[in-house]
Amino acid sequence: MKKGSITLALCLVLCALLSLIGVSLVSARHAAGRVVLASAAEQGMYSLFSRFDRTLFDTFGILALDGGYNGSELKLGSLKEEAEEVAELLTGSSGSLTGPTNLMHLTMEKGEVSEYILLTDGDGALFREQIARAVTGKKTAAAIQKVREQIAAYTPNWRELDEESRSIDADGTEAEYRNLKSGIAEGEGTVYTVFSDRQILCGTEDTENTAVLQETAAVQEPAVFQNAAAVLCDNAGADSEEGASGGLIRNESENPVEIISALRRVGLLNLVLPNNRTLSEGTIEADRVSSRTLQQGMGIIPDSDGTAVDKVLVMEYLLDSFQDFTEAEEGISSGLHYQVEYAIGKKESDAENLKAVLNRLLIIREASNYLYLLKDPVKQGEVQSAAITVSSLIGLPVAEPVVAEMLRLSWAYGESILDLRELLKGGKIPLMKDASSWQLSLNRIGRLQDEITEEHSAENGLTYQWYLRLLLTVESEEDLTESLMDLMEHRIRNTAGREQFRLDNCLVSMTILFRAKQEPFFTMEAERTYDYIE
């Protein structure tokens, strides 16, 4: 038997055991390193997304991360580095939180952004989901359902008025009226007078009608104002008082067709803007979401979480979060003030947006008032009587049908001017009128400015906000989404230091691949995603 054989065997066994222990320790350190890297990556993403845009959230309830750092360019590299810095601190690569010891021997290396989704991606699908949650968080399901039912109740009449407005050919009827009139303009016995030969002051001192016209005459189209003023002044004079009060049209200056024809050229804003309000000069930036090529994310937008998103919720969010003409505060020097009107008009200035909305409302109101005139036998009788008188005045009795149609259109227009004026003052006007809600008598068209100063609100009518809501129903969901984004971006850009803010720099989801090297030769990766998607 040879000596030392047991010692050799034990040495061999111990070598194997030591190797196994060493491999186990390395494996354990490697596994622990992966856990540390994964935890660090998680905390890095959490830290990055914890600095969501406070203005977007506090003001609009929208969660998003400004990836442009208030600039005009998306800085993905800076976002990645910011997350990696936190991860590096937690792995101990740059010195651990408790000291310089790095038990895992991890060294952070450059990672990469795997995916990211922007707030504006997918035509704003995730943006609308956040809007839906914001609305349902503020309003009860019953309140939202009530709005839906009211919209459904008004929709048939609204569609009828829209179709009727397309069938009314006011320009063609007026052209026919002018052609008939011009054909006998040189004939004997014609009492046709040229408006432009009259004086705007009518030879009187500071009458209410002339004061109103003088105040706005410098705004636009002075010659047209002079024509309209002449008509109104003639009717305000003592020689025509009987005609104004008794319904007798005795000369061309009392012809409702000519009065309304002159007023149509005055300018709608001059006729309907309340006396105590000045027109806002606010504008919106030309470079906005709806007018530029948007940056696109890199990732698949997840399916909806089941949150019901429809146009009604988008509309309610718009009406709740932004102001219209009746809510706008005066005296503000910058920014868009008529914000709901912008969603309809999509122009760059308050004046243009308000004009666009009022022109659309005027068409609807004219159609509604015109339909009522056709259905009311009393007013039909007044129209026929006046048509006979006017056609006799112009020397062409056979033109009575054309004159009657012009009178209906003129009367409906005058009534619509009063409707819009009342809406802008905060009153109510019913969608479809009856005898109790009708305001203007045919023999008072010459005193339309006097009628404008009176209150004509109907208790059971619709407010200006409701008319805006009905106008919004014909806008597409995508257009409303773009308008909302424009308005949000515009408001934030009016904040000092954020003039270059862009919504298409805002992220709602991001995936980063973190990399670390573990001495001496292991490389490990951890991919983590963080988002504001529920």
Side-chain angles (χ1 to χ4, degrees):
M1 182 176 181
K2 296 182 180 180
K3 294 181 181 180
S5 59
I6 296 177
T7 303
L8 181 59
L10 288 175
C11 288
L12 293 175
V13 170
L14 285 174
C15 287
L17 289 174
L18 288 174
S19 299
L20 180 60
I21 292 171
V23 170
S24 298
L25 289 175
V26 171
S27 177
R29 191 183 70 168
H30 184 63
R34 288 185 178 277
V35 172
V36 170
L37 178 61
S39 177
E42 193 79 30
Q43 292 300 315
M45 295 298 293
Y46 184 83
S47 175
L48 176 64
F49 274 75
S50 67
R51 64 168 191 82
F52 56 87
D53 194 295
R54 296 293 307 187
T55 305
L56 266 177
F57 182 72
D58 294 340
T59 308
F60 304 112
I62 301 297
L63 271 171
L65 173 66
D66 182 10
Y69 293 88
N70 292 324
S72 59
E73 298 295 330
L74 179 60
K75 301 175 181 178
L76 289 175
S78 298
L79 292 170
K80 179 180 68 68
E81 290 173 4
E82 187 175 336
E84 287 177 338
E85 286 177 4
V86 175
E88 187 174 17
L89 182 64
L90 293 173
T91 58
S93 302
S94 60
S96 68
L97 294 176
T98 59
T101 304
N102 183 357
L103 296 177
M104 300 300 111
H105 294 280
L106 291 174
T107 302
M108 293 297 300
E109 296 185 337
K110 295 294 183 183
E112 61 187 43
V113 177
S114 304
E115 294 182 359
Y116 64 96
I117 299 174
L118 302 175
L119 187 62
T120 54
D121 285 351
D123 296 324
L126 297 177
F127 174 79
R128 283 193 294 273
E129 283 193 14
Q130 292 203 44
I131 284 176
R133 283 192 288 268
V135 174
T136 54
K138 290 181 179 179
K139 293 188 173 184
T140 64
I144 296 173
Q145 182 60 27
K146 182 178 180 181
V147 171
R148 287 197 177 98
E149 291 173 355
Q150 288 177 301
I151 291 176
Y154 294 130
T155 297
N157 285 338
W158 187 263
R159 288 176 178 170
E160 180 187 1
L161 295 179
D162 183 56
E163 292 175 1
E164 181 64 27
S165 67
R166 300 173 192 274
S167 65
I168 295 176
D169 186 11
D171 293 337
T173 305
E174 182 169 4
E176 186 176 359
Y177 170 81
R178 295 297 174 197
N179 289 336
L180 289 171
K181 187 172 179 178
S182 62
I184 50 90
E186 303 298 329
E188 296 182 0
T190 302
V191 294
Y192 176 70
T193 54
V194 181
F195 295 153
S196 58
D197 289 339
R198 309 183 183 208
Q199 298 298 318
I200 192 168
L201 295 180
C202 311
T204 61
E205 294 184 4
D206 196 26
T207 65
E208 184 176 354
N209 282 326
T210 56
V212 172
L213 287 164
Q214 282 179 300
E215 182 180 351
T216 54
V219 178
Q220 66 178 38
E221 304 185 52
V224 175
F225 256 98
Q226 183 177 1
N227 297 344
V231 175
L232 294 175
C233 292
D234 282 343
N235 281 347
D239 62 334
S240 62
E241 187 64 33
E242 182 183 355
S245 61
L248 300 176
I249 302 174
R250 303 188 306 178
N251 54 58
E252 187 69 358
S253 68
E254 297 174 7
N255 183 351
V257 174
E258 300 296 346
I259 294 170
I260 295 300
S261 180
L263 288 176
R264 281 182 185 272
R265 298 190 296 276
V266 165
L268 184 58
L269 292 179
N270 295 319
L271 292 174
V272 303
L273 201 67
N275 293 330
N276 61 343
R277 294 293 300 272
T278 57
L279 192 61
S280 167
E281 298 179 356
T283 58
I284 193 171
E285 305 85 0
D287 175 34
R288 54 189 184 275
V289 172
S290 61
S291 61
R292 67 173 182 258
T293 301
L294 301 179
Q295 301 184 80
Q296 296 293 321
M298 183 177 65
I300 299 174
I301 298 176
D303 294 335
S304 173
D305 64 346
T307 303
V309 181
D310 59 25
K311 192 162 62 175
V312 171
L313 293 177
V314 178
M315 288 163 42
E316 291 308 296
Y317 182 89
L318 172 66
L319 292 166
D320 289 343
S321 302
F322 297 94
Q323 63 185 16
D324 57 56
F325 174 85
T326 61
E327 300 168 329
E329 297 180 7
E330 296 195 68
I332 303 175
S333 58
S334 63
L336 204 65
H337 300 163
Y338 311 153
Q339 297 163 351
V340 179
E341 285 84 352
Y342 170 79
I344 299 170
K346 297 178 178 60
K347 308 294 184 181
E348 292 186 8
S349 72
D350 278 329
E352 291 177 312
N353 286 319
L354 183 60
K355 185 176 180 180
V357 168
L358 292 178
N359 278 326
R360 290 178 64 176
L361 287 180
L362 178 64
I363 292 172
I364 294 296
R365 291 306 319 150
E366 278 191 277
S368 175
N369 294 329
Y370 178 82
L371 284 176
Y372 174 71
L373 289 175
L374 290 178
K375 296 174 182 178
D376 189 304
V378 175
K379 289 186 169 43
Q380 277 286 67
E382 293 181 45
V383 168
Q384 292 302 322
S385 177
I388 293 173
T389 303
V390 171
S391 58
S392 299
L393 281 174
I394 65 175
L396 195 62
V398 294
E400 180 188 332
V402 177
V403 173
E405 180 67 5
M406 277 302 299
L407 284 171
R408 279 190 289 269
L409 293 171
S410 300
W411 200 355
Y413 178 85
E415 179 76 4
S416 301
I417 293 297
L418 298 185
D419 292 343
L420 295 186
R421 180 80 173 211
E422 189 61 36
L423 289 173
L424 293 183
K425 291 194 304 184
K428 297 180 179 181
I429 297 297
L431 192 57
M432 308 296 288
K433 288 195 171 182
D434 55 24
S436 63
S437 57
W438 190 266
Q439 307 172 56
L440 183 64
S441 60
L442 186 58
N443 56 28
R444 293 279 293 178
I445 286 182
R447 292 177 173 267
L448 187 59
Q449 294 290 66
D450 294 337
E451 296 288 330
I452 284 176
T453 62
E454 299 177 5
E455 296 289 337
H456 297 284
S457 183
E459 183 177 351
N460 297 322
L462 299 179
T463 62
Y464 179 65
Q465 286 82 4
W466 255 103
Y467 276 97
L468 291 178
R469 185 180 274 109
L470 292 174
L471 286 176
L472 289 171
T473 59
V474 301
E475 300 290 327
S476 70
E477 193 172 293
E478 289 72 21
D479 286 344
L480 287 177
T481 301
E482 280 192 344
S483 297
L484 273 172
M485 289 182 174
D486 286 343
L487 292 169
M488 287 183 185
E489 186 176 89
H490 171 69
R491 185 176 296 183
I492 294 176
R493 283 182 172 184
N494 281 318
T495 304
R498 309 200 67 182
E499 292 81 4
Q500 294 184 330
F501 172 81
R502 289 173 55 134
L503 273 178
D504 55 331
N505 284 340
C506 293
L507 294 93
V508 292
S509 177
M510 190 176 191
T511 301
I512 297 180
L513 180 66
F514 293 84
R515 287 194 180 95
K517 182 177 181 180
Q518 189 176 46
E519 297 177 2
F521 45 77
F522 289 114
T523 298
M524 56 187 66
E525 297 178 345
E527 188 175 68
R528 286 295 180 270
T529 300
Y530 199 96
D531 60 53
Y532 299 125
I533 304 168
E534 295 183 7

